[in-house]
Amino acid sequence: MSKRVGVLTGGGDCPGLNAVIRAVTRRSLDRGHEVLGVRSGWRGLVEGIFEPLGPREISGLLPRGGTILGTSRTNPYRVEAGVDRVLANFEAERLDSLVAIGGEDTLGVAAALHREHGFPVVGVPKTIDNDLSATDYTFGFDTAVWICTEAIDRLHTTAESHNRVMVVEVMGRHTGWIAVMSGIAGGADVILIPEQPITVEQACTEIQRRHNRGKDFSIVVVSEGYELTYESGERRQVTQETATDEFGHVRLGGIGHELAREIEERTGFETRVTVLGHVQRGGTPTPRDRVLATRYGLKAAELVIARRFGQMAALNGDAIVDVALDDATSELKTVPREWYDTARAFFG
Ligand code: F6P
């Protein structure tokens, strides 16, 4: 019997979302189901904003960044009667199931709705931050790392020409995956991440050590969530705004400038800052992300068809598997010590 499958994208956009939408829609249509796009993440279900997805809508999507469905950080649990409105709009549209494509927040809502209301949802893990448990990688991460690595490569040549220290601030929220991966790939001389915070003094010692060896430029990669940490034990998070969003997150950003000031003052080396910001999330996905997103999308459609709700498509080694949404959202996947040690082997 033909079913109506809903698809939504929530949270920060990332490259590969459209490839998932394409794969979910394609597989569902091929199996005789109808697909309805939900506009702007959970907001679309709270407010009842939908658009049909057919062959024409999913044509040409593979290389396209962003999300054709739009996205938001709306949390139905923080909106007046939000959950009731989600359930009512879902029923009014005669939807049978939902594919929620998102990170910790979007999937956290999906997990809660499933747990509390038996809501028929499956998840697909997206985020450039790669901080979701129960999957080896989220799509979007590879593209972000590629963009940061390219930036580091470019900064190398200008740093070298001017004998400067270049500080590159990258995203990642409270995990340092983007910083560590792009830092290793780009040959950063110091990398600072939230999970294994070296002190400002240690960072300066590494730069000094390098300059004593005859190198007169350095590349420092800092993750936006790194807290300025001093030998004295003082620690300070740098944020753009202290107000939190509907999921309780502060807006991070600005650490690059603070760190650069410290480095310049303490070492005397001229220091410049590059904040990559949303460039890391924009534009076309890498082939790897397109393929991962496609495999996730097909898996999500199959989970829906098999009525295996409360599950999320995940990558385990090279295999696409499914895991419980609850397992994927209960804790953040942080950078393990071994990864940081790999990066650290090239400090200084
Ligand atoms: O979660 C993805 C992410 O890009 C984080 O790395 C970053 O902290 C945040 O989103 C930025 O959010 P916004 O797009 O709301 O500024």
Side-chain angles (χ1 to χ4, degrees):
M1 204 179 93
S2 170
K3 301 269 177 7
R4 273 161 78 79
V5 182
V7 186
L8 71 74
T9 54
D13 73 316
C14 88
L17 284 167
N18 287 325
V20 183
I21 295 168
R22 170 181 176 265
V24 170
T25 306
R26 177 66 193 262
R27 176 57 51 95
S28 305
L29 294 177
D30 284 352
R31 296 290 154 86
H33 303 303
E34 272 178 80
V35 184
L36 202 60
V38 179
R39 295 288 317 172
S40 308
W42 290 111
R43 184 156 75 79
L45 265 174
V46 171
E47 296 178 9
I49 322 168
F50 303 95
E51 66 185 38
L53 290 175
R56 186 167 340 145
E57 285 72 23
I58 60 165
S59 167
L61 287 191
L62 265 181
R64 198 157 145 192
T67 161
I68 57 161
L69 294 175
T71 185
S72 72
R73 294 198 192 277
T74 298
N75 180 354
Y77 283 89
R78 297 286 290 271
V79 175
E80 176 85 34
V83 170
D84 292 342
R85 287 159 73 188
V86 165
L87 300 175
N89 283 321
F90 186 80
E91 207 180 309
E93 279 304 318
R94 294 177 294 104
L95 282 164
D96 166 77
S97 48
L98 180 76
V99 175
I101 312 166
E104 182 206 355
D105 300 331
T106 305
L107 297 181
V109 170
L113 288 172
H114 177 72
R115 205 169 41 240
E116 294 165 14
H117 301 277
F119 193 69
V121 62
V122 303
V124 175
K126 83 73 242 206
T127 166
I128 62 164
D129 304 337
N130 198 41
D131 59 357
L132 266 183
S133 294
T135 186
D136 289 354
Y137 289 99
T138 53
F139 70 86
F141 173 62
D142 188 60
T143 308
V145 169
W146 194 89
I147 292 166
C148 295
T149 304
E150 208 216 352
I152 295 169
D153 288 348
R154 287 176 185 277
L155 289 168
H156 256 103
T157 61
T158 168
E160 203 169 8
S161 309
H162 286 268
N163 301 348
R164 281 173 174 160
V165 176
M166 291 291 190
V167 173
V168 190
E169 179 184 314
V170 300
M171 285 183 165
R173 209 161 245 162
H174 299 293
T175 64
W177 286 104
I178 297 178
V180 163
M181 289 293 191
S182 61
I184 293 174
D189 305 303
V190 180
I191 303 172
L192 299 107
I193 63 170
E195 298 94 322
Q196 338 262 339
I198 60 167
T199 62
V200 169
E201 290 87 344
Q202 281 171 315
C204 291
T205 304
E206 295 291 8
I207 294 167
Q208 196 71 63
R209 194 156 66 89
R210 184 176 151 77
H211 285 234
N212 293 346
R213 279 197 296 116
K215 297 275 190 183
D216 46 20
F217 73 96
S218 294
I219 303 283
V220 176
V221 177
V222 61
S223 182
E224 61 178 359
Y226 167 78
E227 292 181 17
L228 273 178
T229 305
Y230 299 90
E231 309 260 275
S232 63
E234 183 197 339
R235 280 175 82 149
R236 186 162 58 85
Q237 178 110 81
V238 181
T239 59
Q240 292 186 54
E241 264 178 26
T242 44
T244 54
D245 67 14
E246 289 187 10
F247 288 94
H249 301 296
V250 290
R251 184 129 66 88
L252 294 170
I255 179 68
H257 287 279
E258 301 245 3
L259 183 66
R261 196 176 35 75
E262 289 279 15
I263 292 173
E264 194 165 89
E265 262 173 39
R266 287 165 189 262
T267 64
F269 301 132
E270 190 180 19
T271 305
R272 291 286 193 271
V273 190
T274 302
V275 180
L276 290 176
H278 291 80
V279 165
Q280 292 160 90
R281 276 187 4 209
T284 193
T286 58
R288 194 185 179 86
D289 274 339
R290 294 182 199 189
V291 172
L292 185 59
T294 298
R295 295 176 78 200
Y296 279 155
L298 292 181
K299 180 71 176 181
E302 275 151 22
L303 287 169
V304 161
I305 291 161
R307 309 195 66 71
R308 302 206 34 230
F309 300 124
Q311 297 295 107
M312 179 187 87
L315 184 70
N316 183 350
D318 205 23
I320 300 291
V321 298
D322 59 277
V323 295
L325 268 173
D326 276 333
D327 292 342
T329 50
S330 51
E331 58 176 317
L332 278 192
K333 184 177 71 186
T334 51
V335 174
R337 179 92 229 171
E338 311 84 81
W339 271 112
Y340 195 60
D341 286 346
T342 303
R344 226 174 157 157
F346 299 92
F347 283 10

